[in-house]
Amino acid sequence: MEWCAPPARLWGMGGAPEARTTPSRENEMSEKSYRDAIRDAMMEEMDRDANVLIMGEDIGVYEGTFRITAGMLKKYGPKRVLDTPIAEAGMVGTAVGMAMLGLRPIVEMMTMNFAIVAADQILNHAAKVRYFSGGQVDVPMVVRGPQGAGVQLSAQHSQSFESFYAHFPGIHVVAPATPADAKGLLKTAIRGNDPVIFLESAALYGMKGEVPDDPNFTVPFGQSRVAREGKDVTIVSFSRMLQLSLAVAAKLASDEGIECEVIDLRTLRPLDMDPVYASVTKTHRAVVVQEQWKPFGVAAEIAANITETVFDELDAPVARVTGEDVPMPYARNLELLATPHEPEIERAVRKVLYKT
Amino acid sequence: MAKAKKESDSAVLDAACAPEWTEILKQMIFIRRFEEATEREFRKGKIGGYLHVYIGQEAVASGIVGALQKGDAVFCGYRDHAQALSLGSDPNRVMAELFGKGTGVSKGKGGSMHLFDVEHGLYGGYGIVGGHLTLAAGAAYAKRYQGSDSVVVCYFGDGAMNIGSFHEAMNMAGLWGHQGMCPIVFVIENNGYAMGTSVERHSALTDLAARVRAYDIAGEKVDGQDIFAVRGVADRVVRQVRETGKPYCIEAVTYRFSGHGAADILQPYRTKEEVEQHRHRDPINILRKRLGEVCGLTDDDVKAMDEWAIERAANAVKFAEESSQPAPDELFADVVAEHGPRPVSEDERE
Ligand SMILES: Cc1ncc(C[n+]2csc(CCOP(=O)(O)OP(=O)(O)O)c2C)c(N)n1
């Protein structure tokens, strides 16, 4: 069968070649989808470092249920692109072991909902090994996959996990909102020395954007970004909700002259609050937008940080826009009620401006 | 009820039990037509989310259910439409669930993957592979604890045997079985593939029935396309499990004719020829042929059944279409119990 050939080139342990020298493409950009940006990041890193490999369910022969891994088995062979049984705990646990010995595994979760099955391996093992070994071992691995509400995927397949993972020290938690960030952050994740939970928005896979061609382009963790400047209200968000926030900001600016400053957190752990504080110092009003449930969420963390640090700057309580506090219903009308949309963001902006 | 022959595994078909088997054929044809309707409605956008149909596997559910009685409980994965229909759920309400309507069996809150109809014994379709196996083992314990002679049936795919909860459920069931406290029939619906991964590529040991023996659970294979074979084994096994309270595992070797789910169109993991070859062993045709041979069922008889099935499925679609969406305040209902603590009755006291 096609997927068996060509055989993977086998690198000896520690015998990985150094980064390829590539013609300088420093300033060139290409339009790419979020999906292709993720694949490019993985393939560039697999080209760069033979210690990088990927495993997951139906990622090889089937080329991925979301086609993120299309073409990878063919290019890298079954030693570096491993089709696994349905065994999330097994996948993550073996990846931890591989990582402890120096490989750099990427584990693809068909969706992040299934990673809960591997929660013990991620939270009790991957996140702890460096610490309780007194720093003797690195655990360079990435657990990545799509998350968030789709269309009628119901309660077990629509969840978002940023606050779940970000609660735990010992791992990084990344949630890109654009194709360029998806690529740059994933490359940082693969090159890093710690476990990374890389949360992709399934709904953004088809989204296109400009992505740097430079194979050494990376986006560092812990650098929030001002995605749109404004002076009236600060909107803080990440992942798909960042895109909705930008749409609301554009609409409010053109319709009513309300200028929102939109901040993309990019990584939730490490969390970079400085641009948020700077922005709130300018606007004195903040709205935090997330898809996940409200209790104990990222928005709560951001709001608490704002009150702890720049409380005196606030002219209104921080507003939170979140999903409704219920398991995701299947019926489309209920699902639409359960997830946040532009009107809710708009309403929150008006609320902090005391405009109703 | 068709009796299993003591000496042979296969259920008997003779003139006396022909009417029952004719009913079973009608049910299988209906399940096929119902599933075809769901695929059509999915393509029209009337059904959302994920849709996994049972086409090709009908003899498994219909064969097992025939051996059950009232009070028995069934747990299964997301490929659950046939489980509900064979247990006697109202097809209108099953279709309405797939349409996300308030009249659905789960009030439109679960959808295709989460059919529940406790009144008919269905304790759910679940979407996380293997997650329900432990639930089913616990349910079996509860049945015995409550002094009932009911059994639990737990269906799952070949792919589910590779996840931790499978092993945990099997070991606990095996242990509890030593005390006669786990009346459960595990049914492996081995359709050859876990999505795009064949059994040979996902299971170190491909004799799946043998894998449960590691947990002191007896297991056996049965031809899942031949409903007489399935029913014969099911009658014997269910009776035995009911008597002993010990778990048992049936590996029904079957094949799915459709894609894994409605989105699995290209199917790069198998050839068209392979699918064609398996279509020669269509479970409906196997039963139909036997009924023709033994009790003279004619093509006209089958045609009449098929027409009825098509119309019944169309009626279910119509019912679903005409039903209303769940009321908006349903969003917040059923998250946690709204009723107070349950009083303990006299006979429940220690
Ligand atoms: C824990 C978990 N991992 C992955 C998935 C995605 N998934 C859904 S069905 C499926 C294949 C299951 O195959 P099998 O158990 O053989 O059942 P079949 O679909 O063939 O009936 C996969 C991988 C999931 N639902 N749950």
Side-chain angles (χ1 to χ4, degrees):
Chain A
M1 262 173 100
E2 180 181 68
W3 59 272
C4 294
R9 191 165 154 206
L10 262 183
W11 307 109
M13 291 287 294
E18 256 318 291
R20 283 189 321 185
T21 44
T22 30
S24 168
R25 284 187 278 160
E26 265 165 47
N27 301 314
E28 283 171 41
M29 303 277 262
S30 301
E31 182 168 84
K32 294 266 163 142
S33 67
Y34 189 95
R35 169 189 284 111
D36 291 344
I38 290 167
R39 184 188 312 113
D40 286 355
M42 293 195 291
M43 290 179 77
E44 285 175 15
E45 294 309 300
M46 286 178 78
D47 289 341
R48 176 177 177 268
D49 182 352
N51 290 302
V52 180
L53 56 81
I54 177 165
M55 59 173 141
E57 294 155 16
D58 283 319
I59 62 165
V61 173
Y62 201 78
E63 302 198 304
T65 43
F66 289 93
R67 299 200 64 74
I68 304 296
T69 54
M72 290 179 68
L73 175 64
K74 210 168 178 180
K75 177 159 185 205
Y76 300 105
K79 280 230 160 55
R80 293 185 75 192
V81 179
L82 285 78
D83 270 327
T84 67
I86 305 171
E88 282 77 9
M91 282 148 60
V92 174
T94 53
V96 175
M98 291 176 185
M100 290 170 71
L101 273 287
L103 301 187
R104 293 179 170 269
I106 303 167
V107 179
E108 174 171 303
M109 289 291 163
M110 202 173 272
T111 81
M112 289 306 293
N113 299 285
F114 313 139
I116 316 181
V117 174
D120 171 65
Q121 299 293 323
I122 298 172
L123 303 173
N124 264 332
H125 294 85
K128 303 292 194 285
V129 165
R130 172 185 303 284
Y131 195 78
F132 61 33
S133 71
Q136 291 179 68
V137 277
D138 287 346
V139 188
M141 59 182 282
V142 181
V143 177
R144 50 152 290 270
Q147 66 158 14
V151 178
Q152 293 191 272
L153 302 182
S154 216
Q156 292 183 323
H157 286 76
S158 304
Q159 304 168 103
S160 296
F161 294 96
E162 55 279 350
S163 67
F164 176 78
Y165 290 113
H167 185 61
F168 285 81
I171 49 180
H172 299 307
V173 181
V174 182
T178 66
D181 275 0
K183 183 175 179 188
L185 290 165
L186 183 52
K187 287 167 73 87
T188 298
I190 296 168
R191 292 181 189 190
N193 296 309
D194 287 300
V196 177
I197 305 297
F198 195 88
L199 304 169
E200 298 158 11
S201 164
L204 291 183
Y205 277 148
M207 179 204 171
K208 296 227 162 101
E210 289 292 311
V211 180
D213 291 333
D214 179 3
N216 279 316
F217 158 74
T218 57
V219 174
F221 289 179
Q223 285 191 10
S224 300
R225 153 185 94 96
V226 177
R228 180 189 172 102
E229 286 186 25
K231 58 176 177 31
D232 298 323
V233 174
T234 302
I235 304 181
V236 184
S237 194
F238 56 94
S239 191
R240 190 172 78 88
M241 288 297 133
L242 188 271
Q243 296 300 344
L244 264 63
S245 302
L246 285 172
V248 170
K251 175 169 179 276
L252 288 174
S254 72
D255 293 1
E256 305 174 39
I258 298 172
E259 296 292 344
C260 296
E261 181 146 292
V262 182
I263 296 181
D264 181 357
L265 295 172
R266 292 166 142 178
T267 62
L268 304 163
R269 198 183 249 283
L271 179 64
D272 174 23
M273 285 296 295
D274 290 342
V276 178
Y277 300 147
S279 182
V280 170
T281 304
K282 179 167 65 170
T283 64
H284 311 292
R285 295 158 206 279
V287 172
V288 196
V289 188
Q290 67 174 33
E291 185 173 305
Q292 214 186 7
W293 302 296
K294 190 172 192 175
F296 309 96
V298 171
E301 178 68 21
I302 303 300
N305 278 316
I306 292 173
T307 16
E308 278 171 0
T309 311
V310 286
F311 179 75
D312 292 340
E313 296 292 343
L314 286 175
D315 283 345
V318 178
R320 287 184 277 170
V321 178
T322 71
E324 292 292 355
D325 192 17
V326 299
M328 190 64 79
Y330 169 77
R332 185 63 179 152
N333 67 319
L334 298 184
E335 183 178 53
L336 288 169
L337 292 173
T339 44
H341 298 278
E342 286 91 338
E344 285 86 62
I345 303 174
E346 216 180 296
R347 220 171 296 137
V349 169
R350 284 184 213 291
K351 188 175 159 202
V352 297
L353 284 165
Y354 297 104
K355 284 191 182 180
T356 38
Chain B
M1 198 193 256
K3 294 268 151 51
K5 254 200 276 179
K6 284 214 179 65
E7 57 280 11
S8 149
D9 263 351
S10 204
V12 175
L13 170 64
D14 56 26
C17 59
E20 192 209 343
W21 284 108
T22 307
E23 267 313 299
I24 292 172
L25 174 64
K26 198 168 153 190
Q27 179 193 74
M28 283 168 65
I29 293 175
F30 173 62
I31 290 172
R32 175 74 55 91
R33 293 304 193 188
F34 183 96
E35 292 289 54
E36 288 168 356
T38 69
E39 287 186 318
R40 274 195 304 277
E41 297 306 315
F42 181 90
R43 283 195 294 272
K44 285 193 227 160
K46 300 280 181 181
I47 294 173
Y50 297 132
L51 182 85
H52 312 85
V53 299
Y54 209 63
I55 296 175
Q57 305 183 202
E58 293 89 344
V60 183
S62 294
I64 299 285
V65 159
L68 299 184
Q69 60 191 41
K70 196 156 173 48
D72 294 341
V74 171
F75 288 75
C76 58
Y78 42 83
R79 200 178 296 285
D80 56 356
H81 312 162
Q83 321 301 358
L85 296 173
S86 62
L87 281 165
S89 292
D90 177 354
N92 289 356
R93 297 191 58 212
V94 174
M95 190 64 85
E97 186 62 35
L98 308 194
F99 274 59
K101 297 299 180 72
T103 52
V105 285
S106 309
K107 293 198 236 167
K109 289 170 149 180
S112 165
M113 296 191 291
H114 307 299
L115 298 177
F116 274 72
D117 189 353
V118 170
E119 196 191 320
H120 288 95
L122 182 59
Y123 281 80
Y126 297 83
I128 306 299
V129 168
H132 64 289
L133 274 69
T134 39
L135 278 57
Y141 188 90
K143 287 288 189 194
R144 278 287 144 137
Y145 189 92
Q146 291 161 341
S148 143
D149 74 342
S150 297
V151 302
V152 172
V153 168
C154 178
Y155 297 95
F156 53 90
D158 45 279
M161 297 181 72
N162 304 316
I163 200 151
S165 70
F166 165 82
H167 301 275
E168 298 181 28
M170 289 293 148
N171 189 48
M172 291 175 80
L175 271 175
W176 291 346
H178 293 165
Q179 275 92 50
M181 286 298 285
C182 204
I184 185 166
V185 183
F186 291 109
V187 180
I188 309 168
E189 295 164 313
N190 177 4
N191 60 15
Y193 293 91
M195 202 171 276
T197 308
S198 63
V199 171
E200 297 70 41
R201 297 181 57 239
H202 75 60
S203 182
L205 194 68
T206 53
D207 181 353
L208 302 183
R211 288 177 57 183
V212 303
R213 289 181 205 137
Y215 303 105
D216 201 20
I217 296 175
E220 70 182 278
K221 268 188 217 307
V222 63
D223 176 358
Q225 303 310 86
D226 177 357
I227 189 161
F228 297 101
V230 177
R231 178 61 179 275
V233 169
D235 279 336
R236 168 170 50 77
V237 165
V238 168
R239 195 181 325 115
Q240 178 188 319
V241 167
R242 205 182 293 288
E243 276 164 22
T244 62
K246 285 186 195 308
Y248 199 97
C249 181
I250 300 172
E251 176 191 351
V253 181
T254 181
Y255 197 81
R256 66 168 158 72
F257 295 166
S258 289
H260 165 76
D264 179 22
I265 294 161
L266 298 176
Q267 304 179 26
Y269 51 87
R270 62 182 188 182
T271 60
K272 285 210 169 60
E273 294 71 48
E274 181 188 305
V275 180
E276 269 321 300
Q277 207 174 337
H278 281 277
R279 279 189 187 274
H280 291 311
R281 299 209 67 238
D282 186 320
I284 293 177
N285 287 341
I286 290 175
L287 172 56
R288 173 188 167 160
K289 192 154 163 274
R290 286 282 297 281
L291 282 170
E293 286 161 6
V294 178
C295 28
L297 186 83
T298 66
D299 286 351
D300 281 347
D301 296 334
V302 176
K303 192 158 167 263
M305 280 183 203
D306 196 36
E307 278 163 8
W308 169 84
I310 289 170
E311 195 188 326
R312 186 70 194 84
N315 286 342
V317 169
K318 185 158 181 286
F319 174 85
E321 195 111 51
E322 287 169 0
S323 291
S324 358
Q325 292 181 322
D329 56 7
E330 270 299 324
L331 181 61
F332 300 101
D334 306 318
V335 178
V336 290
E338 278 148 33
H339 42 278
R342 185 176 157 279
V344 177
S345 66
E346 221 22 79
D347 58 334
E348 283 172 318
R349 289 191 203 284
E350 260 277 40

